Amino acid sequence: MSRTPKIDRARRNALKAGSLVLGTLLATSVPHRQASAQSQPIRDIIQDLLRDLLPGRTSNPGSGGGQCFARGTQIRTREGYRRIESLAAGDEVAVRFGGFVPIKAMVSHTLKSVSGKWVDESNLPVFVRRGALGENSPNADLCLTALHPVFVDGFLMPVGELVNGTSIIFEAAAGRDALDFFNIELDSHDILDVQGAFCESLYRAETERCAPLLRFTGGRSQLRSRLRSVASAVVDRRQPIDIIRDKLEERGHRFARAA
């Protein structure tokens, strides 16, 4: 990699790291109720940092509302791509590690909004633009919940951890009363072809994952990741989670510049 991209990456991550720390400091003096609905994902990070970096303070994480795809999402089956809400147990879907396999069960839930805010703000909808995860991946804009892992470079990673403000963003609730979400349970955990992107099937705790899962464990984990990426301009000791995040952020910035 040439020097300029390295410096750009370091600068971008330095700004992100500074935002995390500054947000934590501001959170100690700004009342929680003054924050807007759009800032909720940032508030979650701030709460993690408060818990991790300021002794005696705790966060109040939500319970989560499922790892699912929005109504209308196209899933690859033996008959080609079909809308997820049209699928049923017994239909065969394409998977990365097993060709085509039958659906064991379909699950669903509805995320509601009140006064322009999603009711369950711990698992917000994420909007993934066409091509955000790779060349033609996904092949059309995709909406799924933040906790749902996508498969990138051999690893699973919750899509909410990859939000970059350009090609992967949180879906606003404004103008929507509800969003319906669906997921596909298989006999064994696998990777689905979802509009050309690779995303995991329904995962249950008693099952074995088909690929390693990467995720941040709180605000301090995210801050350390950003600092590793800052230092990579001189010595690159980034971990896979940092590399994937940085790569998709760089891709998103290229999209923004080309727009």
Side-chain angles (χ1 to χ4, degrees):
M1 179 181 288
S2 67
R3 187 68 179 175
T4 299
K6 286 184 178 180
I7 293 174
D8 288 344
R9 182 178 67 221
R11 182 184 298 113
R12 184 173 59 252
N13 278 282
L15 290 172
K16 296 280 189 178
S19 295
L20 289 173
V21 175
L22 179 61
T24 302
L25 296 176
L26 291 175
T28 63
S29 58
V30 177
H32 184 274
R33 66 176 181 274
Q34 292 181 356
S36 67
Q38 285 292 92
S39 68
Q40 177 64 32
I42 298 175
R43 293 207 306 272
D44 291 341
I45 294 173
I46 290 172
Q47 289 172 346
D48 283 336
L49 282 169
L50 287 171
R51 180 194 62 204
D52 292 343
L53 303 179
L54 303 180
R57 299 188 67 97
T58 60
S59 62
N60 184 26
S63 59
Q67 303 171 16
C68 302
F69 307 101
R71 178 182 294 275
T73 300
Q74 299 283 331
I75 307 294
R76 187 181 172 210
T77 71
R78 278 198 182 275
E79 296 77 32
Y81 284 101
R82 290 177 53 188
R83 295 169 65 96
I84 191 167
E85 66 270 22
S86 73
L87 299 176
D91 291 337
E92 292 191 332
V93 294
V95 293
R96 187 170 180 85
F97 301 111
F100 290 90
V101 298
I103 295 173
K104 178 180 179 180
M106 296 293 300
V107 300
S108 64
H109 80 278
T110 298
L111 178 62
K112 297 182 179 180
S113 69
V114 176
S115 301
K117 298 181 181 179
W118 296 116
V119 172
D120 181 4
E121 293 182 316
S122 66
N123 193 17
L124 297 170
V126 173
F127 181 80
V128 181
R129 299 189 186 280
R130 177 180 178 180
L133 303 177
E135 187 64 31
N136 213 33
S137 175
N139 56 31
D141 294 343
L142 175 65
C143 180
L144 63 167
T145 51
L147 294 177
H148 200 121
V150 294
F151 185 70
V152 181
D153 294 345
F155 294 94
L156 289 164
M157 192 166 175
V159 71
E161 308 275 21
L162 299 171
V163 168
N164 54 34
T166 53
S167 59
I168 306 174
I169 61 176
F170 287 103
E171 185 83 35
R176 300 187 181 187
D177 294 328
L179 275 178
D180 295 327
F181 287 91
F182 303 82
N183 206 350
I184 296 171
E185 183 176 7
L186 306 174
D187 284 331
S188 60
H189 187 246
D190 213 316
I191 307 297
L192 301 165
D193 180 338
V194 183
Q195 297 179 186
F198 296 117
C199 307
E200 76 166 8
S201 63
L202 181 68
Y203 172 76
R204 297 194 184 278
E206 64 272 14
T207 62
E208 181 180 356
R209 287 193 185 274
C210 64
L213 176 70
L214 303 177
R215 69 182 309 163
F216 297 112
T217 56
R220 181 160 44 187
S221 171
Q222 294 187 48
L223 182 58
R224 287 174 175 170
S225 172
R226 292 295 181 182
L227 294 177
R228 286 193 296 267
S229 291
V230 171
S232 70
V234 180
V235 179
D236 195 345
R237 295 180 178 173
R238 290 177 299 160
Q239 298 176 6
I241 193 170
D242 314 324
I243 294 170
I244 292 171
R245 192 242 2 261
D246 288 345
K247 181 179 78 170
L248 297 186
E249 280 189 352
E250 289 161 9
R251 187 174 183 86
H253 280 277
R254 289 198 299 271
F255 281 11
R257 288 194 296 269

